[in-house]
Amino acid sequence: MIIPELLGPVAGRVPDVARIAVLRANALGDFIFVLPALEALRAAYPEAEIVLLGAPWHAKLWRDRPGPVDRVLVVPPAPGIRHPEPGEAESTPHAFLAAARAERFDLALQLHGGGANSNPFVGALGARVTAGLRAEDAPPLDRWIRYVYYQHEVIRYLEVAGLVGAGATTIVPALAVTDADRAEAAGVLGPAARPRVALHPGATDTRRRWPAERFAEVARELVGDGYEVLVTGTPAEREVVDAVVAAAGVPVRPQVGTLGLGGLAGCYAGCELVVSNDTGPLHLAAAVGTATVGIYWVGNLITVANPLRGRHRPISSWTVRCPVCAVDCTPGIYPHRPGDGECPHRDSFVTDVPVVEVVEAARELLRPEPGAP
C-alpha cells in the first residue's frame, strides 16, 4: 500500500506497551485532524489502551462511540493546554499530573502543537517513552520532530505516530456516526421532505468568515434547486446565522444550539452537502462522509483543507494583506522577509471568493456527471 510506504514508521515500536496517552485538548476541527494518527496507533498497538487527554467535550463525544479512543481523561484548563469552558477557571495541573502518573503510561504523545507548554506537560506524565512535536522554543521529548507551520495537519500528526513505530493506515479522518447521533438529529429536524444541504456561516476567527450575504445567495440558489437548506451555528454564532436567514429571502431552517455535537454529526451525515467556512463543523462533515464545499484563507488551505476531490471542493482566498491596514500577515512565519506579520484587525480575509465559484462547486457535487463519484 502506498500510504504506509510514504508515511511509515521512522523509529521502532516500543515493546510491552499496555497504555498510551495522547494529548490533544483543543477544538473540534483540531481533533478531527489527529484521527488518522490515532488509527495508526491502534493498528500498531492493537492490545494497548489509548487514552485521550482532552477537554470535557471529548469525553461526551467518545461516550459509547466506536473508534480508536478507548477512554478520555479530562485535563484541567491551563495556559497552552486548553481554554476553560464556560464556568471553568484556569488551574494548575499538579493534581491531574499526580493522578496521571499513577496510570503508568508506557507511551505519551504530544499531538497538541509546538510544545512550549505541552511538552513539559507530557514529560511530567511519567511515561516510559515520550514523543511529539517541537518548535524552536519548546523543550525536547524522547523522540521528536520539528514543528514547521506550513504542513498539513493530518500529515504532521502521522509523522509523530511514526516516531513510535505506527505507520499510517489512512490519511482521511473518519468519525463513526452512532444510532444516538441520528436519533438526536431526527428528533430535532424531523423527516426530510426534500434532500438537505447545510450551510455553516460561522467561525471562531472572524478573518475566516465569508460574508453572511454571500451565504444567503448560496441559500437562495440551492432552495431554487429544490433543496431544504439548514443554517447551523453555535449559540455564539447566532447573529451571523440570523443575518444569513434574513438576507436569504427564502425559507431556510436555522439551527443554533439545537443539536449537541453528536446530533450535529447525525445531521450532517443526513445531508447531501455542507457548505462552510474553514471551521470545526466543516471538518466534522467530511469526517462523517458528507460532501463539502469549504471556503479557506490560502494559508489554511495548505494546512487543513481536505486533500480529496471526489467529494470535497476547498475554494481558496488569495488575500495575504489585511484588508484594513494592508499589512502582509504572512511574514511572521518567515522572519527574514519584510513585513510585520501581525495586525490587530479581524476583518474577513476571504471576501475575494465569489459566490459563483461556491455555487458551481456545490452543484457539481450535488449533481455529478455520469462516471463521477
Side-chain angles (χ1 to χ4, degrees):
M1 181 181 288
I2 293 175
I3 294 303
E5 289 177 359
L6 294 177
L7 286 168
V10 296
R13 295 187 198 179
V14 178
D16 303 319
V17 170
R19 187 168 293 117
I20 302 171
V22 177
L23 176 64
R24 186 67 167 172
N26 31 26
L28 172 60
D30 299 314
F31 179 71
I32 296 294
F33 305 139
V34 304
L35 286 170
L38 291 169
E39 295 287 358
L41 289 169
R42 169 57 65 224
Y45 298 96
E47 304 302 322
E49 181 186 32
I50 297 178
V51 180
L52 176 68
L53 309 186
W57 73 263
H58 292 103
K60 294 177 183 176
L61 178 69
W62 284 102
R63 188 175 299 133
D64 301 322
R65 186 177 304 277
V69 174
D70 296 305
R71 181 161 53 98
V72 175
L73 281 182
V74 175
V75 300
I81 304 301
R82 74 171 179 90
H83 296 296
E85 295 191 353
E88 279 189 309
E90 285 191 353
S91 62
T92 57
H94 299 306
F96 173 86
L97 289 171
R101 283 191 287 270
E103 297 260 356
R104 298 185 179 277
F105 290 111
D106 298 293
L107 295 180
L109 273 66
Q110 189 274 97
L111 301 182
H112 196 70
N117 295 288
S118 50
N119 283 4
F121 183 91
V122 166
L125 294 171
R128 287 196 290 124
V129 176
T130 60
L133 298 158
R134 184 190 181 192
E136 292 184 0
D137 61 347
L141 298 169
D142 295 326
R143 304 178 184 183
W144 58 272
I145 191 167
R146 180 65 71 195
Y147 178 91
V148 179
Y149 181 79
Y150 278 128
Q151 179 182 20
H152 199 284
E153 292 281 286
V154 168
I155 305 302
R156 189 193 310 281
Y157 302 115
L158 282 169
E159 285 202 281
V160 174
L163 294 174
V164 294
T169 60
T170 181
I171 61 169
V172 180
L175 186 74
V177 180
T178 67
D179 290 342
D181 297 337
R182 293 186 176 90
E184 181 185 347
V188 170
L189 300 173
R194 294 172 291 161
R196 281 178 176 150
V197 170
L199 311 182
H200 190 90
T204 303
D205 188 339
T206 53
R207 293 173 297 179
R208 289 188 272 118
R209 287 188 181 182
W210 202 42
E213 61 270 19
R214 309 268 183 94
F215 276 102
E217 290 185 59
V218 174
R220 283 197 295 275
E221 293 290 336
L222 295 179
V223 168
D225 288 347
Y227 293 93
E228 178 185 20
V229 174
L230 312 176
V231 186
T232 59
T234 66
E237 295 165 341
R238 182 177 298 277
E239 183 177 349
V240 68
V241 170
D242 288 347
V244 172
V245 172
V250 293
V252 297
R253 297 183 63 183
Q255 301 296 319
V256 179
T258 58
L259 295 161
L261 187 53
L264 187 64
C267 166
Y268 287 163
C271 289
E272 303 296 315
L273 177 73
V274 172
V275 180
S276 174
N277 297 315
D278 166 27
T279 188
L282 173 68
H283 306 295
L284 174 66
V288 301
T290 301
T292 67
V293 176
I295 300 156
Y296 289 86
W297 176 63
V298 60
N300 298 125
L301 183 83
I302 296 168
T303 58
V304 301
N306 195 293
L308 305 181
R309 294 296 170 269
R311 300 264 293 160
H312 305 287
R313 297 290 190 277
I315 300 179
S316 179
S317 162
W318 299 98
T319 299
V320 296
R321 293 187 177 274
C322 171
V324 178
C325 66
V327 162
D328 184 343
C329 289
T330 57
I333 303 162
Y334 299 109
H336 302 294
R337 302 185 190 186
D340 295 333
E342 293 290 341
C343 76
H345 305 112
R346 290 297 179 265
D347 292 58
S348 174
F349 271 59
V350 296
T351 57
D352 60 327
V353 172
V355 171
V356 63
E357 290 183 7
V358 175
V359 172
E360 285 179 351
R363 285 175 172 154
E364 183 180 6
L365 291 170
L366 288 166
R367 301 172 180 172
E369 295 179 12

